[in-house]
């Protein structure tokens, strides 16, 4: 399979070149030239597979045999060998209509581990095979940074720099990043919000001279491999529910940067019969407004109890828009130009009807988020992190009679004790998280200034 840019100005690439490219040289995002279709008979065959076996099956449609099967298998089993649950992503039934897929059993207790443990192994493999140094550069609203650092720390041939918004991630998220004292890791705490960090990252990847000189590689979900790895657990959870082929299965997904929900959209285009894809977000509700009105317009930034979704500019929205306009790169480029010049994109008519057929969406208010945490702790003795609580609130709004819903638990509640404490719940931290509070931190606070950040990167990479 070949990969192309959403903007249409980049020659078709293979799987490994797409991994290394991340953001395309024309500023677009890489997508498959053609999405493979998985037929119902194949889904039936996959029901008995483990997570790792299913991962290998799905990736076999995308890797073009560029990676020998045994090499890929070793990477996959190494990646998930340190997860605390043998299923990797275990399924918890809450009530007759609701299941929670726990995606937080990796080393940093967040769903980002599922993709980034594999990406760390993949980058290390490519570095060894090609004999080149890889410099990973990413921005995080909290979980991506910790998971990315954990995936590559100490690996020869790789350096990683992560930007996070100063004071706008949870304390545990901050500690998971900044207590790492490996020479190949640099944490920059940027005075601004996540969108400010993400903007700098995109500008640096768009600077082809800088990108080429320092061999920059992406770890954010602008990298298609992140999307593809997350697609695996959509298939996995669907196949874990008995009789799912005869049920209406809805999946409610906490989403800020549109990467996790786009993985579900990709799974659906591959043939996974999801009934409703539900976007759960918070008061930074640009995605809810888009689904309901057709207007994609970044608004004012709001700090919430679910900080990983405190995002106004969703990177992966461009990938969805590409498919919405019929894979027409010219139309897509026109929309993205309007976003730059007019500050918004407007979809109407049949296109808006398609959006509303593809997704439902809810922006959950802060108090509703806390109320949901309290309700499920009291009624089901099940503690939700604030992002998962947003997903549950969206399930409650959109799940119909006779339908079955799966909500993704994107993080362990211990990562967001600030919110849990507001509901008067005292939780016991896992040993790995409790130990972080006694460790020294290693980070540099910098201004939201591209030139300042570039100087830090040059000193680190050289």
């Amino acid at each position: 399979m070949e990969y192309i840019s959403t903007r249409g100005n980049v020659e078709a690439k293979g799987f490994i070149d797409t991994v290394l490219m991340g953001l395309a040289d024309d500023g677009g995002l890489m997508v498959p030239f053609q999405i493979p279709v998985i037929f119902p008979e194949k889904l039936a065959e996959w029901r008995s597979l483990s997570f790792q076996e299913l991962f290998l099956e799905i990736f076999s449609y995308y890797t073009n045999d560029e990676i020998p099967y045994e090499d890929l298998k070793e990477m996959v089993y190494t990646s998930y060998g340190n997860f605390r649950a043998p299923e990797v992503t275990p399924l918890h039934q809450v009530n007759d209509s609701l299941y929670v897929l726990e995606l937080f059993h990796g080393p940093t207790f967040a769903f980002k581990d599922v993709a980034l443990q594999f990406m760390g192994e993949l980058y290390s493999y490519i570095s060894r095979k090609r004999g080149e140094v890889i410099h990973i550069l990413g921005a995080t609203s909290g979980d991506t940074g910790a998971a990315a650092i954990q995936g590559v720390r100490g690996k020869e041939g790789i350096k990683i720099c992560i930007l996070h918004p100063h004071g706008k991630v949870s304390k545990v998220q901050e500690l998971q990043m900044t207590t790492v004292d490996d020479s190949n890791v640099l944490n920059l705490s940027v005075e601004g919000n996540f969108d400010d960090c993400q903007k700098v990252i995109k500008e640096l990847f768009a600077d082809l001279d800088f990108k080429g000189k320092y061999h920059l590689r992406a770890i954010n979900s602008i990298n298609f491999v992140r999307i593809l790895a997350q697609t695996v657990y959509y298939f996995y959870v669907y196949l874990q529910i008995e009789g799912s082929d005869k049920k209406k299965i809805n999946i409610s997904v906490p989403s800020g940067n549109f990467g996790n929900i786009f993985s579900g959209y990709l799974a659906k285009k591959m043939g996974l019969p999801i009934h409703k894809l539900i976007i759960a977000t918070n008061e930074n509700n640009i995605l809810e407004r888009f689904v309901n009105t057709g207007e994609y317009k970044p608004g004012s930034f709001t700090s919430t109890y679910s900080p990983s979704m405190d995002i106004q500019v969703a990177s992966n929205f461009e990938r969805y828009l590409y498919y919405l306009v019929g894979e027409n790169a010219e139309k897509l480029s026109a929309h993205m130009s309007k976003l730059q010049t007019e500050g918004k994109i407007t979809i109407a008519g049949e296109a808006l009807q398609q959006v509303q057929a593809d997704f439902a969406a809810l922006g959950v208010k802060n108090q509703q988020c806390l109320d949901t945490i309290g309700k499920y702790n009291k009624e089901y003795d099940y503690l939700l992190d604030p992002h998962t609580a947003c997903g549950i609130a969206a399930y409650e709004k959109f799940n119909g009679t006779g339908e079955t819903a799966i909500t993704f638990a994107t993080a362990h509640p211990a990562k967001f004790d600030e919110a849990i404490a507001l509901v008067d719940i005292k939780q016991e931290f896992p040993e790995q998280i409790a130990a972080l509070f006694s460790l020294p931190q290693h980070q540099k606070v910098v201004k939201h200034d591209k030139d300042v950040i570039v100087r830090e990167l040059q000193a680190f990479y050289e």
Side-chain angles (χ1 to χ4, degrees), residues 142 146 164-180 187 189 415 436 441-443:
H164 72 267
H166 184 59
K168 293 183 175 65
V169 299
S170 78
K171 189 61 181 177
V172 170
Q173 286 176 318
E174 178 186 305
L175 290 171
Q176 284 183 323
M177 291 184 282
T178 61
T179 55
V180 175
N187 283 291
S189 182
K415 296 196 73 170
L436 295 171
Q441 292 184 249
H442 308 274
Q443 66 178 326

Side-chain angles (χ1 to χ4, degrees), residues 40-54:
E41 313 86 74
K42 179 61 72 173
L43 284 176
E45 292 176 15
W46 286 354
R47 279 196 180 270
S48 61
L49 298 184
S50 68
F51 184 91
Q52 292 92 330
E53 290 167 338
L54 184 61

Side-chain angles (χ1 to χ4, degrees), residues 147-422:
I149 289 169
Q150 189 64 39
V152 303
R153 60 179 299 184
K155 282 187 165 60
E156 190 175 346
I158 299 177
K159 286 188 174 184
I160 183 168
C161 174
I162 296 294
L163 279 59
H164 72 267
H166 184 59
K168 293 183 175 65
V169 299
S170 78
K171 189 61 181 177
V172 170
Q173 286 176 318
E174 178 186 305
L175 290 171
Q176 284 183 323
M177 291 184 282
T178 61
T179 55
V180 175
D181 188 24
D182 289 37
S183 61
N184 72 326
V185 175
L186 174 66
N187 283 291
L188 295 180
S189 182
V190 180
E191 295 176 338
N193 58 43
F194 170 73
D195 290 329
D196 296 328
C197 297
Q198 184 169 250
K199 184 173 183 291
V200 172
I201 297 297
K202 286 189 171 182
E203 288 176 358
L204 292 177
F205 274 94
D207 183 339
L208 300 186
D209 290 338
F210 188 86
K211 178 183 176 183
K213 179 178 179 181
Y214 293 106
H215 307 287
L216 293 188
R217 307 304 180 203
I219 204 81
N220 287 66
S221 55
I222 59 174
N223 194 310
F224 181 73
V225 178
R226 272 277 304 273
I227 299 298
L228 184 57
Q230 291 168 178
T231 299
V232 175
Y233 51 69
Y234 281 85
F235 282 90
Y236 184 69
V237 70
Y238 176 87
L239 296 170
Q240 292 303 300
I241 294 179
E242 186 176 352
S244 54
D245 55 332
K246 297 178 179 62
K247 297 177 179 178
K248 291 181 177 179
I249 304 290
N250 304 324
I251 302 184
S252 181
V253 185
S255 189
N257 216 14
F258 210 82
N260 205 357
I261 194 72
F262 183 80
S263 295
Y265 177 77
L266 176 63
K268 195 169 183 178
K269 287 185 77 69
M270 289 172 67
L272 190 66
I274 301 168
H275 181 53
K276 294 176 190 169
L277 273 175
I278 303 168
I279 301 171
T281 186
N282 58 25
E283 294 182 26
N284 296 286
N285 64 338
I286 182 173
L287 298 176
E288 179 194 33
R289 285 184 279 115
F290 171 71
V291 171
N292 291 339
T293 70
E295 182 180 77
Y296 180 86
K297 182 180 180 181
S300 56
F301 175 85
T302 302
S303 292
T304 73
Y305 301 137
S306 48
S308 295
M309 301 190 298
D310 287 349
I311 296 169
Q312 284 288 342
V313 182
S315 285
N316 278 281
F317 178 73
E318 179 170 333
R319 279 192 172 106
Y320 172 67
L321 193 59
Y322 173 76
Y323 291 105
L324 183 64
V325 299
E327 302 178 42
N328 186 316
E330 189 174 334
K331 284 185 179 179
L332 182 281
S333 296
H335 279 305
M336 299 311 294
S337 293
K338 273 197 171 184
L339 182 61
Q340 291 295 319
T341 58
E342 300 177 15
K344 66 178 181 179
I345 295 170
T346 303
I347 300 296
E350 290 184 3
L352 179 56
Q353 291 175 16
Q354 183 61 54
V355 172
Q356 293 170 349
D358 290 336
F359 303 108
L362 179 67
V364 180
K365 303 294 185 184
N366 266 335
Q367 190 57 50
Q368 184 181 6
C369 172
L370 297 181
D371 291 346
T372 303
I373 293 171
K375 173 185 174 181
Y376 278 75
N377 187 64
K378 181 179 180 181
E379 294 184 7
Y380 300 105
D381 193 26
Y382 191 73
L383 186 57
L384 309 169
D385 96 285
H387 305 79
T388 309
C390 291
I392 296 286
Y395 138 77
E396 291 184 337
K397 180 175 176 63
F398 292 113
N399 206 61
T401 303
E403 296 175 353
T404 299
I406 301 155
T407 294
F408 288 167
T410 52
H412 192 287
K415 296 196 73 170
F416 302 95
D417 195 52
E418 297 91 335
I420 304 300
L422 293 173

